[in-house]
Amino acid sequence: MARPVTLFTGQWADLPLEEMCKKAQDFGYDGLELACWGDHFEVDKALSDDTYCNRKRELLEKYDLQLFAISNHLVGQAVLDNIDQRHKAILPEYVWGDGDPAGVNERAIEEMKNTARAAQKLGVSVVNGFTGSSIWHLLYDFPPTPREMYDAGYQLLADRWNPILDVFQECGIKFALEVHPTEIAFDIYSAEASLKALDHREEFGFNFDPSHLIWQGVDPVEFIRYFPDRIYHAHMKDASVTLNGRTGILTSHLPFGDQRRGWDFRSVGRGGVRFEEIIRALNDIGYGGPLSIEWEDMGMNRDQGAREACQFTKNVDFAPSDIAFDGAFGD
């Protein structure tokens, strides 16, 4: 079982899609996971132009690249977030509008519904993304936080995402939340609470990404085993924890790439994630989808990193055994 190895284009959206396709083919990738920003995949154009999706498909086919998922992390973030000036830089102008927070939330909701419709038109079955969170700022629980405030956050998840997921259901598309700090689900138990708030509806699952778990002290393998039927997509992404007595796990308001941080992302295979154990766990749950590399390493040239990560991932992937090792001992 050689899973396809794809490259998420979110960190490459400064390049035109055709240039990205040329690079991915040269690097050895089997396909792309298209980000819904830059010119890689534009939801509004997919719905307004009947030739748009076919042209994207033809471009990928020109470079022998497959497509299994699209990703709309940036707009999804604005569905539950308490909106501020930071969101202006990551949202399409027609979603940001006049910046009124309630209006941004509403437009983000509609855009996520349209993302499901665009995915159906494009012929993919999974949309990866973020949900945002109205309660992330309550993480430390001081001043002491009444339980009702957390409950209200999960209720808001249900109120805003159920109508979105209704459209996903109508379109036959799965939404895969990338479990991630600043999202409503950022570890195992918050992911469990999110599923409960949404009544475990089938349209909602997870884009497994080990890099966001390992620095929290959460074993990524345990996440897979805890949610065996909810892993709808998988990212290959690495991180390294470097606590030396001065650095802190909360990173001191320092930017990614600063050597004073207590953890940072690394190119795949160059951090602390045990990818072989992840492959074994994915085999155990029967995951046969793509292994999609999300490349983020501020200390490494991205072309070198993406090429190396592709080969690393192909080398580390393997199929489960179809025979017991001692099956040849008897008659």
Side-chain angles (χ1 to χ4, degrees):
M1 178 176 60
R3 297 178 182 88
V5 177
T6 61
L7 179 62
F8 175 43
T9 69
Q11 290 75 20
W12 305 75
D14 57 311
L15 303 178
L17 180 57
E18 182 152 15
E19 185 177 346
M20 189 68 251
C21 289
K22 292 176 184 177
K23 284 181 175 290
Q25 183 186 54
D26 179 58
F27 295 157
Y29 284 90
D30 302 310
L32 295 178
E33 173 194 346
L34 294 181
C36 294
W37 54 92
D39 79 331
H40 293 191
F41 190 74
E42 297 155 284
V43 170
D44 58 334
K45 291 183 180 179
L47 296 182
S48 63
D49 181 349
D50 286 339
T51 69
Y52 182 86
C53 290
N54 284 338
R55 286 188 281 115
K56 292 295 179 184
R57 283 284 186 182
E58 288 168 1
L59 180 59
L60 292 169
E61 289 167 5
K62 176 181 175 181
Y63 294 96
D64 298 317
L65 295 170
Q66 301 175 70
L67 180 65
F68 301 93
I70 61 173
S71 295
N72 206 350
H73 293 68
L74 304 184
V75 171
Q77 187 69 39
V79 172
L80 290 184
D81 265 12
N82 303 312
I83 301 299
D84 58 41
Q85 275 300 118
R86 298 171 301 156
H87 296 84
K88 184 177 182 179
I90 67 171
L91 296 174
E93 288 185 8
Y94 63 87
V95 175
W96 175 256
D98 61 2
D100 173 69
V104 174
N105 292 143
E106 286 301 319
R107 289 187 290 274
I109 289 168
E110 292 308 309
E111 183 75 352
M112 292 309 295
K113 292 176 182 177
N114 283 337
T115 304
R117 297 177 179 117
Q120 181 185 35
K121 219 173 164 184
L122 185 62
V124 298
S125 59
V126 174
V127 171
N128 300 315
F130 291 151
T131 58
S133 174
S134 63
I135 55 175
W136 173 251
H137 65 291
L138 305 177
L139 183 68
Y140 191 69
D141 200 20
F142 188 85
T145 308
R147 185 68 241 176
E148 292 79 8
M149 292 182 71
Y150 295 116
D151 292 343
Y154 289 107
Q155 183 60 54
L156 191 65
L157 167 69
D159 293 345
R160 291 188 181 172
W161 274 91
N162 270 320
I164 297 171
L165 294 171
D166 288 343
V167 178
F168 273 76
Q169 182 183 46
E170 291 167 9
C171 295
I173 308 294
K174 297 284 200 304
F175 178 76
L177 167 62
E178 186 169 329
V179 175
H180 180 292
T182 77
E183 310 312 316
I184 194 70
F186 55 90
D187 60 11
I188 287 176
Y189 297 120
S190 58
E192 183 178 47
S194 299
L195 284 172
K196 182 179 178 182
L198 293 168
D199 199 25
H200 294 85
R201 59 183 301 167
E202 188 179 352
E203 296 76 34
F204 185 88
F206 302 120
N207 176 38
F208 168 75
D209 187 324
S211 69
H212 304 305
L213 299 169
I214 185 173
W215 66 264
Q216 297 185 62
V218 178
D219 184 346
V221 170
E222 289 302 311
F223 189 93
I224 294 171
R225 298 196 187 284
Y226 206 86
F227 301 106
D229 62 340
R230 294 289 169 157
I231 306 299
Y232 293 162
H233 193 265
H235 270 179
M236 299 287 278
K237 188 173 165 193
D238 216 335
S240 181
V241 177
T242 52
L243 298 177
N244 61 17
R246 294 193 303 270
T247 57
I249 206 68
L250 300 182
T251 69
S252 309
H253 293 303
L254 296 168
F256 289 112
D258 192 304
Q259 55 86 25
R260 295 171 295 170
R261 287 172 60 95
W263 71 271
D264 217 330
F265 296 124
R266 292 286 185 271
S267 193
V268 175
R270 293 181 173 271
V273 174
R274 299 178 302 149
F275 285 104
E276 177 172 338
E277 298 307 313
I278 285 171
I279 295 301
R280 291 179 184 274
L282 291 175
N283 284 344
D284 287 344
I285 68 168
Y287 176 79
L291 301 175
S292 188
I293 291 167
E294 184 178 17
W295 190 84
E296 293 182 352
D297 188 333
M298 294 288 285
M300 187 178 187
N301 175 273
R302 69 178 177 179
D303 281 22
Q304 179 184 346
R307 184 187 301 276
E308 177 186 278
C310 180
Q311 191 58 55
F312 174 91
T313 300
K314 291 188 175 186
N315 289 344
V316 78
D317 189 26
F318 54 88
S321 177
D322 59 0
I323 186 172
F325 71 87
D326 57 355
F329 292 177
D331 293 333

